């Protein structure tokens, strides 16, 4: 394999995360850039007749890819080759739109436009040679305090990649949020907000979890809906599961987290990207935001199961009491007095915090 | 409401003061994302801010769904939060 060939596996599929990840996993050591997205939407106009709805592992002629490549050659900086041994023979490798754009962006910043593609390719080819992934590079970047000067460009590249990856999530995220608004509108004025994950959080997650990859991080794009009742939450979740590709459904209402966090979480696969959907009742939302506010103000450990015990127990008790309200159950006197007792302890804690500040 | 009508807000929360500054970008998601990345880069060494890009039909919605950026950090404000 020649070093200057940057290899990217491309499959056009409705469900690339599921169907291509296996392929990419085994091919990853051979590739410069593991990029399991689909371009079906973008290419649809030109290739509607040629593209079967699910275009996966097969030889490229039977998929109409050959023709597709020619049509888009000027945009794709087409360079393809077959990998040497079966079963890799069917793996068509070439540079795709986003990769070219990434390289273009990066070089515009450094002001070197000429020969940019080749330079970009060399850089990814070098990455392949030492067998490291994007996540590896980010790990180096984060632990950057100790890296040698010659690693600085690499760290900068890693940050570019994280930002680029996040940008690519923006469209799927907006689509998912728009759909969610549509479903939520059945239950009054929809309260829906989306957020793109903070780059430092993305990087720290890559560092913290050695097997994590950008392509597997499910909440770089996240959207939250507040629905008036728990029943509405379950109904919307049901519709999403019926009509969308849901990679994961977590019922934290039926099984709250250890800190008593409650909500319904779904991971939607949307054009190759994983988007997290959170469905909360107003009480669940108020609870989570209050915990967040306390974590922000006095005890960051709260979010990781730590923090002052009286605060933790207080929020657990309040969470239980909210859950009863969401279920339409009457107030439990014992629970109410526990909340009141814990509230006194929290008051003391707040007095202390006020005196210290 | 289509994605084109959604408005984007860069929330820059000052960790020292507990106050959030909001930069509105209207419906220009690209500009908002550029500003997001630039703000993060500018803060990378000192980490004085908690910076996040949020989008919704209005700032009011964001103040509800992501209220912790706006609820303040004093004991008094936290007490108010518990009372509400």
């Amino acid at each position: 394999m020649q070093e200057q060939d940057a290899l990217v596996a491309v499959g056009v599929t409705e469900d690339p995360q599921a169907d291509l990840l296996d392929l990419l996993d085994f091919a990853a050591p051979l590739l410069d850039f593991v990029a399991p997205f689909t371009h079906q939407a973008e290419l649809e106009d030109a290739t509607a007749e040629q593209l079967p709805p699910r275009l996966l592992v097969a030889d490229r002629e039977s998929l109409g890819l050959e023709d597709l490549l020619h049509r888009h050659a000027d945009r794709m900086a087409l360079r393809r080759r077959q990998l040497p041994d079966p079963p890799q023979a069917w793996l068509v490798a070439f540079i795709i739109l986003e990769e070219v754009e990434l390289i273009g962006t990066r070089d515009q910043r450094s002001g070197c436009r000429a020969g940019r593609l080749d330079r970009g390719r060399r850089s990814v080819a070098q990455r392949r040679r030492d067998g490291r992934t994007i996540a590896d590079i980010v790990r180096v970047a984060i632990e950057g305090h100790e890296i040698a000067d010659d690693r600085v460009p690499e760290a900068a590249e890693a940050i570019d990649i994280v930002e680029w990856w996040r940008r690519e999530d923006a469209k799927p995220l907006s689509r998912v949020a728009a759909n969610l608004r549509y479903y939520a509108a059945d239950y009054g004025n929809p309260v829906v907000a989306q957020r793109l994950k903070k780059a430092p959080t993305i990087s720290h997650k890559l560092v913290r979890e050695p097997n994590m990859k950008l392509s597997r991080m499910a909440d770089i794009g996240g959207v939250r809906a507040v629905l008036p009742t728990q029943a509405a939450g379950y109904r919307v979740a049901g519709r999403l599961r019926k009509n969308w590709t849901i990679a994961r459904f977590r019922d934290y209402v039926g099984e709250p987290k250890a800190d008593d966090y409650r909500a319904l979480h779904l991971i939607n696969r949307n054009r190759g990207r994983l988007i997290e959907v959170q469905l909360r009742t107003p009480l669940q939302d108020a609870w989570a935001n209050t915990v967040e506010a306390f974590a922000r103000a006095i005890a960051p450990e709260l979010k990781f199961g730590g923090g002052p015990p009286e605060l933790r127990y207080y929020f657990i008790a309040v969470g239980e009491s909210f859950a009863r309200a969401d279920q339409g159950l009457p107030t439990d006197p014992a629970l109410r007095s526990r909340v009141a007792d814990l509230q006194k302890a929290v008051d003391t804690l707040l007095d202390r915090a006020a005196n210290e500040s | 409401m289509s994605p084109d009508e959604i408005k984007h807000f860069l929330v820059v929360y000052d960790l020292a003061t507990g106050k959030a500054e909001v930069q509105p970008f209207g419906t220009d998601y690209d500009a908002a994302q550029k500003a997001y990345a630039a703000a993060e880069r500018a803060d990378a060494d000192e980490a004085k801010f908690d910076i996040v890009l949020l989008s919704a039909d209005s700032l009011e919605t964001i103040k509800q769904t992501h209220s912790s950026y706006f609820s303040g950090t004093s004991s008094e404000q936290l007490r108010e939060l518990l009372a509400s």
Side-chain angles (χ1 to χ4, degrees):
Chain A
M1 193 183 301
Q2 286 174 15
E3 197 180 290
Q4 68 269 26
D5 284 334
L7 300 181
V8 175
V10 169
V12 181
T13 162
E14 285 188 333
D15 199 355
Q17 214 77 22
D19 297 312
L20 280 177
L21 270 181
D22 287 345
L23 159 64
L24 290 169
D25 265 355
F26 104 73
L30 300 163
L31 301 174
D32 299 305
F33 207 82
V34 178
F37 19 66
T38 171
H39 296 277
Q40 186 159 359
E42 283 165 44
L43 302 176
E44 226 149 34
D45 293 342
T47 62
E49 312 81 34
Q50 298 130 356
L51 281 177
R54 295 172 72 80
L55 184 133
L56 292 172
V57 177
D59 69 84
R60 67 181 192 281
E61 281 79 9
S62 74
L63 303 174
L65 260 182
E66 194 76 87
D67 192 44
L68 183 151
L69 293 180
H70 283 300
R71 280 163 186 254
H72 294 276
D74 55 332
R75 297 176 63 203
M76 281 188 176
L78 178 61
R79 176 75 58 88
R80 61 189 157 66
R81 56 178 293 164
Q82 293 185 313
L83 299 178
D85 306 308
Q88 295 141 321
W90 39 254
L91 181 67
V92 185
F94 53 90
I95 294 188
I96 51 174
L97 297 172
E98 276 78 352
E99 176 76 348
V100 173
E101 279 170 14
L102 171 70
I103 293 162
T105 307
R106 200 187 302 144
D107 282 290
Q108 273 160 27
R109 192 173 296 145
S110 66
C112 307
R113 299 185 66 116
R116 61 190 192 190
L117 206 50
D118 286 335
R119 264 166 36 87
R121 284 185 183 193
R122 262 201 300 283
S123 126
V124 283
Q126 279 159 6
R127 197 146 75 228
R128 182 179 63 230
R129 252 208 328 267
D130 65 9
R132 293 182 311 140
T133 63
I134 293 165
D136 288 332
I137 296 167
V138 172
R139 284 178 195 110
V140 170
I142 286 297
E143 290 152 358
H145 303 296
E146 293 173 26
I147 55 169
D149 285 350
D150 62 349
R151 284 288 175 81
V152 169
E154 206 169 22
E157 184 181 22
I159 294 164
D160 281 352
I161 292 169
V162 168
E163 286 174 359
W164 163 75
W165 189 275
R166 184 172 65 182
R167 278 201 303 280
E168 291 292 312
D169 263 23
K171 264 191 192 148
L173 172 61
S174 293
R175 267 196 301 268
V176 170
N179 281 335
L180 188 57
R181 253 177 223 105
Y182 170 76
Y183 289 124
D186 285 353
Y187 307 96
N189 218 5
V191 179
V192 175
Q194 70 198 57
R195 75 101 187 78
L196 281 170
K197 202 178 183 78
K198 301 161 193 170
T201 317
I202 296 173
S203 304
H204 284 292
K205 190 165 185 169
L206 287 173
V207 172
R208 203 171 56 240
E209 299 173 32
N211 295 321
M212 182 51 70
K213 294 178 179 177
L214 285 171
S215 57
R216 293 207 169 144
M217 209 176 283
D219 65 339
I220 292 177
V223 56
R224 177 178 299 166
V226 183
L227 297 158
T229 63
Q230 192 58 72
Y234 276 117
R235 276 199 296 272
V236 169
R239 289 184 73 183
L240 300 186
R241 295 176 77 186
K242 188 166 163 236
N243 299 332
W244 292 6
T245 308
I246 298 298
R248 202 162 70 209
F249 172 53
R250 291 271 158 82
D251 181 355
Y252 295 121
V253 177
E255 286 182 58
K257 290 191 185 180
D259 65 356
D260 213 63
Y261 175 85
R262 291 165 203 249
L264 302 175
H265 284 197
L266 304 97
I267 307 293
N268 172 223
R269 279 196 196 103
N270 193 294
R271 309 255 165 90
R273 292 296 170 139
L274 297 172
I275 305 295
E276 184 182 77
V277 177
Q278 303 178 347
L279 306 176
R280 296 175 175 175
T281 66
L283 286 176
Q284 287 162 357
D285 192 51
W287 182 94
N289 282 323
T290 305
V291 171
E292 189 93 24
F294 271 75
R296 206 178 280 293
I298 53 178
E301 322 81 52
L302 261 186
K303 286 186 73 185
F304 307 98
E310 61 267 50
L311 210 47
R312 268 187 292 140
Y313 297 144
Y314 170 76
F315 281 123
I316 289 173
V318 171
E320 274 175 34
S321 136
F322 280 6
R324 288 183 66 86
D326 271 341
Q327 290 164 49
L329 296 171
T331 315
D332 174 354
L335 182 58
R336 188 164 54 189
S337 82
R338 195 159 86 234
V339 170
D341 287 347
L342 286 163
Q343 179 136 14
K344 280 178 205 145
V346 171
D347 268 334
T348 313
L349 186 89
L350 288 174
D351 287 339
R352 234 180 18 241
N355 289 336
E356 280 166 17
S357 66
Chain B
M1 183 174 284
S2 84
D4 300 338
E5 296 165 61
I6 290 307
K7 299 177 188 80
H8 309 282
F9 304 92
L10 186 63
V11 178
V12 180
Y13 175 92
D14 187 324
L15 294 165
T17 65
K19 291 211 173 80
E21 188 192 302
V22 179
Q23 298 170 30
F25 285 88
T27 56
D28 192 344
Y29 210 1
D30 287 337
Q33 289 179 60
K34 281 199 183 100
Y36 188 16
E40 285 179 331
R41 280 170 182 256
D43 186 48
D45 288 336
E46 296 193 78
K48 287 157 88 173
F49 300 98
D50 191 345
I51 303 162
V52 69
L53 182 57
L54 301 171
S55 317
D57 57 345
S58 70
L59 184 59
E60 282 62 45
T61 298
I62 278 164
K63 286 189 171 174
Q64 176 183 348
T65 56
H66 293 77
S67 61
S68 73
Y69 291 101
F70 306 98
S71 49
T73 55
S74 75
S75 291
E76 215 38 60
Q77 287 165 322
L78 292 173
R79 240 188 276 272
E80 272 172 35
L81 204 55
L82 296 186
S84 62

